Amino acid sequence: MLVPRHVPILDESTIKAIRLAARGFLRRPRVSKLGLEVDDLVQELTLFILGHFTSYEPGAGAWSTYVKCLLRTKLFSIYRVAVAKKRQGATPLESI
């Protein structure tokens, strides 16, 4: 599927949304105890968005809405994996 050229992949607002989501996520009490780092989280989120860019359909909604949905999905996944790893005694984000 070809994506229209007018859709920005990593424009300034997308990068800002990624950073805000990562920082906000790490401020939560349960998450702050998991040992995750902002830079690693930003990288994971950015790669996730780039990997799902071709699935975006402009007619279905705004790019910013799509990005927020992707961020929420990935953050939930990262949290689940980090909690499971902590229970097993491993370092978080090792196999995400």
Side-chain angles (χ1 to χ4, degrees):
M1 167 189 210
L2 293 175
V3 178
R5 289 182 172 209
H6 68 277
V7 177
I9 299 177
L10 289 177
D11 62 345
E12 189 176 325
S13 64
T14 303
I15 294 170
K16 184 177 179 180
I18 292 169
R19 291 188 184 280
L20 286 174
R23 288 184 186 129
F25 180 71
L26 293 175
R27 282 191 201 116
R28 296 176 183 223
R30 292 182 182 175
V31 177
S32 63
K33 297 176 185 176
L34 296 175
L36 303 172
E37 294 184 19
V38 176
D39 293 335
D40 293 337
L41 197 54
V42 167
Q43 183 178 11
E44 289 291 327
L45 295 172
T46 302
L47 291 174
F48 188 71
I49 289 173
L50 289 173
H52 286 80
F53 176 70
T54 57
S55 301
Y56 173 62
E57 295 182 24
W63 171 249
S64 59
T65 305
Y66 183 67
V67 167
K68 287 177 187 175
C69 182
L70 287 176
L71 292 173
R72 188 175 27 228
T73 300
K74 185 62 176 176
L75 288 172
F76 182 71
S77 174
I78 287 171
Y79 178 75
R80 284 191 356 232
V81 170
V83 168
K85 293 270 184 199
K86 186 164 183 168
R87 284 184 191 149
Q88 296 173 356
T91 305
L93 287 180
E94 236 173 45
S95 66
I96 297 178

